[in-house]
């Protein structure tokens, strides 16, 4: 499926510009290149995990997402570009409450990503629905720290780890672009992000005090799929040229 999305994105990027009918301006405005940003909320999804497995919504709550992007209007219906984004998820108190009771606990889940994007716009009015795809890399930094103040059982042992890894991800989205001025468009969108290749792992290490071998389950939730609800502003920086 990942290869199919990449092929579709590549095909959208090589649509012959010469095949577009000459016109005085693009329907999004009078510009051909747009830069801007978006902000919103992102919610974890358990897609790809069975009911008896720990999933991403079990360990984190809804968080913040933001991005900056650029878009080149290759035609009045096709926009291609690139974006750099950041998402952060706070840990879910209900899941980790037992550790909070036994000691000091903290965890964070962060995603820095860079992706190629493609958008297909419908209609020619100032209010334009669109469908989009993206594919790129996600730098995931997940941290967990538990300092125990109880040492009665093995469950009360202090644990800490940080994972820093890059994974391939892809997404699909849909929304609207609304022209609010001659140079500016407002966007509202919903996006499904898929990062399916993150797997739970067992980390083995030697305890510095007891010199005994210990094992810790890292990223017990598996994949980090999520859904975003975002709003953005896109500013025209290069005027349209005649084809």
């Amino acid at each position: 499926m990942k290869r199919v999305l990449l092929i579709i994105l590549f095909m959208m990027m090589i649509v012959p510009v010469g095949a577009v009918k000459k016109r005085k301006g693009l329907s999004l405005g009078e510009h051909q290149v747009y830069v801007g940003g978006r902000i919103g909320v992102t919610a974890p999804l358990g897609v790809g995990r069975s009911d008896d497995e720990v999933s991403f919504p079990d360990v984190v709550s809804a968080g913040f997402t933001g991005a900056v992007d650029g878009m080149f209007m290759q035609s009045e219906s096709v926009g291609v570009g690139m974006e750099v984004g950041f998402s952060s998820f706070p840990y879910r108190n209900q899941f980790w409450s037992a550790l909070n009771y036994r000691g000091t606990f903290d965890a964070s889940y962060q995603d820095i990503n860079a992706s190629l994007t493609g958008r297909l716009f419908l209609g020619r009015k100032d209010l334009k629905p669109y469908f989009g795809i993206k594919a790129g890399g996600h730098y995931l930094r997940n941290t967990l720290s538990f300092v125990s103040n109880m040492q009665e059982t093995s469950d009360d042992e202090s644990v800490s780890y940080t994972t820093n890894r890059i994974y391939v991800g892809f997404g699909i989205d849909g929304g609207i672009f609304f022209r609010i001025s001659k140079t500016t468009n407002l966007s509202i969108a919903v996006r499904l992000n898929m990062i399916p290749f993150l797997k739970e792992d067992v980390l083995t290490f030697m305890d510095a005090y007891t010199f005994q071998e210990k094992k810790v389950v890292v990223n017990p939730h598996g994949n980090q799929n999520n859904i975003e609800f975002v709003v953005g502003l896109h500013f025209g920086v290069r005027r349209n040229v005649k084809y």
Side-chain angles (χ1 to χ4, degrees):
M1 185 174 182
K2 177 182 67 176
R3 292 182 178 179
V4 173
L5 288 173
L6 290 174
I7 291 173
I8 293 174
L9 179 58
F10 177 75
M11 292 177 65
M12 292 175 67
M13 296 179 67
I14 62 173
V15 173
V17 173
V20 181
K21 184 178 179 180
K22 292 184 178 181
R23 60 197 180 281
K24 294 183 178 180
L26 296 170
S27 54
L28 279 178
E30 298 182 356
H31 292 76
Q32 193 175 38
V33 176
Y34 291 84
V35 296
R38 55 180 174 78
I39 59 173
V41 296
T42 177
L45 295 177
V47 178
R49 303 288 283 181
S50 62
D51 293 339
D52 59 347
E53 292 179 304
V54 177
S55 62
F56 201 34
D58 292 327
V59 301
V60 303
S61 301
F64 164 83
T65 185
V68 293
D69 64 15
M71 179 175 64
F72 171 72
M73 292 301 298
Q74 195 173 23
S75 74
E76 65 182 9
S77 300
V78 177
V80 296
M82 183 176 181
E83 70 172 33
V84 177
F86 172 78
S87 298
S88 179
F89 299 87
Y91 71 86
R92 187 177 180 84
N93 286 317
Q94 294 89 330
F95 184 84
W96 302 106
S97 60
L99 293 181
N100 270 318
Y101 171 75
R102 297 187 182 116
T104 303
F105 176 82
D106 192 20
S108 65
Y109 302 80
Q110 299 176 339
D111 174 10
I112 301 173
N113 54 82
S115 304
L116 296 176
T117 61
R119 295 183 176 104
L120 178 64
F121 294 91
L122 307 176
R124 299 186 179 183
K125 298 181 179 180
D126 288 342
L127 180 63
K128 292 176 67 66
Y130 82 91
F131 297 97
I133 60 174
K134 76 160 195 171
H138 294 255
Y139 168 68
L140 303 182
R141 178 179 174 82
N142 297 341
T143 66
L144 183 147
S145 176
F146 169 60
V147 179
S148 176
N149 45 17
M150 303 173 64
Q151 294 294 335
E152 297 177 1
T153 69
S154 59
D155 293 334
D156 298 317
E157 294 178 351
S158 298
V159 175
S160 65
Y161 66 78
T162 299
T163 59
N164 299 278
R165 298 177 183 176
I166 297 177
Y167 295 89
V168 174
F170 53 89
I172 56 175
D173 63 333
I176 59 170
F177 267 61
F178 178 62
R179 185 179 176 186
I180 59 177
S181 76
K182 188 175 181 179
T183 61
T184 306
N185 287 271
L186 171 71
S187 68
I188 302 174
V190 178
R191 170 181 285 172
L192 173 65
N193 294 308
M194 304 294 289
I195 313 174
F197 306 108
L198 176 64
K199 305 297 181 183
E200 58 185 273
D201 193 13
V202 177
L203 177 64
T204 301
F205 65 97
M206 187 69 68
D207 187 275
Y209 298 99
T210 64
F211 299 101
Q212 295 181 344
E213 188 177 85
K214 293 184 178 181
K215 294 183 178 181
V216 176
V217 178
V218 179
N219 298 321
H221 55 277
N223 60 54
Q224 286 191 200
N225 303 327
N226 57 87
I227 186 169
E228 298 176 355
F229 303 88
V230 294
V231 296
L233 289 175
H234 309 267
F235 305 95
V237 296
R238 175 183 169 185
R239 295 190 65 82
N240 181 39
V241 296
K242 294 183 179 180
Y243 298 110

